[in-house]
Amino acid sequence: MATGSTLNLHKVRIEALTDGVFAIMLTLLVLELKVPEMPRAEAELHLGEHLRHLAPVFVSFIVTFIVGGLFWYLHHLSFHFVNHTSPKLVVANLFFLGFVSLLPFSMALYGRYNGQTIPTVCYFANFIGMSVGLNLHWLVARREGLLIAPRHEADLVLLTRRIRRLLVASVIGLGVAIFQPLFAILAFTAILLVLRSRDRLRPAA
């Protein structure tokens, strides 16, 4: 049996683990949207008011679900090019999944205390942890020669850019969160869109 850096592992197990963690994480997000508890008579008068208080949580749920889905998609897309895994790649993926599993907590904090600095910083720090994990996973896969030779090298270049821009947008979002927490998610979204537009105009060479 091969040992050390030559040990090759099937990728199916790590894909199954990743899908399971993401499925649970995305499901747990909705648990923050709790139905207000009140008598029916009181609900006739105040249910709308209580639902309005849930608006920040609902918005944070939508944003987090989309961002979580984006991380899952890029991880899934990267594994399209992975032939097999190695111990280093397993460690990199576990690092990534550790931050993925924290997302329901950081979303709950961000949704309940929307507009405050500490919850927003924690939220974007979680994004940075996931982004670092995903970039680390992709770096290990490329450097250890674990990839299937693509039909076009440009495919790998484009995927690398997509993975990197999540980290850039998360870092900028965190920077904005420290000074203007209400605008952090707008900055994060704007940077992603700007980088996406720029990457589409750049040649994938």
Side-chain angles (χ1 to χ4, degrees):
M1 176 182 293
T3 59
S5 60
T6 61
L7 180 60
N8 296 330
L9 307 169
H10 293 295
K11 68 177 185 177
V12 175
R13 296 291 298 277
I14 199 165
E15 287 179 306
L17 174 63
T18 301
D19 288 346
V21 171
F22 268 97
I24 294 171
M25 179 274 292
L26 292 173
T27 302
L28 288 177
L29 296 179
V30 78
L31 296 182
E32 280 302 303
L33 295 171
K34 297 179 173 63
V35 176
E37 297 288 343
M38 65 184 73
R40 292 181 64 87
E42 183 181 349
E44 289 286 346
L45 300 173
H46 302 294
L47 182 58
E49 179 183 345
H50 282 272
L51 290 177
R52 281 193 295 273
H53 289 316
L54 278 176
V57 180
F58 186 71
V59 171
S60 65
F61 162 75
I62 294 174
V63 171
T64 308
F65 194 93
I66 292 172
V67 173
L70 179 58
F71 274 100
W72 173 84
Y73 173 72
L74 290 178
H75 185 276
H76 173 64
L77 189 59
S78 69
F79 258 81
H80 173 72
F81 296 105
V82 172
N83 184 40
H84 54 263
T85 63
S86 69
K88 287 184 181 179
L89 187 60
V90 170
V91 171
N93 272 275
L94 289 174
F95 178 85
F96 169 64
L97 293 178
F99 283 99
V100 171
S101 64
L102 280 174
L103 204 52
F105 169 76
S106 65
M107 189 220 81
L109 200 63
Y110 175 71
R112 292 183 194 181
Y113 304 104
N114 186 265
Q116 296 185 19
T117 301
I118 292 178
T120 310
V121 166
C122 290
Y123 188 58
F124 281 95
N126 198 165
F127 282 10
I128 290 176
M130 292 169 65
S131 299
V132 169
L134 188 59
N135 277 273
L136 181 62
H137 141 81
W138 188 234
L139 180 64
V140 169
R142 298 196 71 174
R143 288 195 172 180
E144 294 226 316
L146 304 176
L147 302 182
I148 302 168
R151 183 175 302 175
H152 303 290
E153 182 65 23
D155 294 337
L156 297 183
V157 174
L158 289 173
L159 180 56
T160 301
R161 290 177 184 173
R162 296 174 76 175
I163 291 174
R164 284 178 181 170
R165 69 188 181 218
L166 267 176
L167 178 58
V168 173
S170 298
V171 170
I172 292 176
L174 178 64
V176 174
I178 295 173
F179 302 102
Q180 295 289 339
L182 282 173
F183 297 102
I185 197 65
L186 295 177
F188 171 82
T189 305
I191 293 299
L192 273 183
L193 293 175
V194 168
L195 292 179
R196 181 175 183 271
S197 298
R198 186 199 66 176
D199 289 342
R200 292 183 68 177
L201 296 175
R202 291 170 60 189

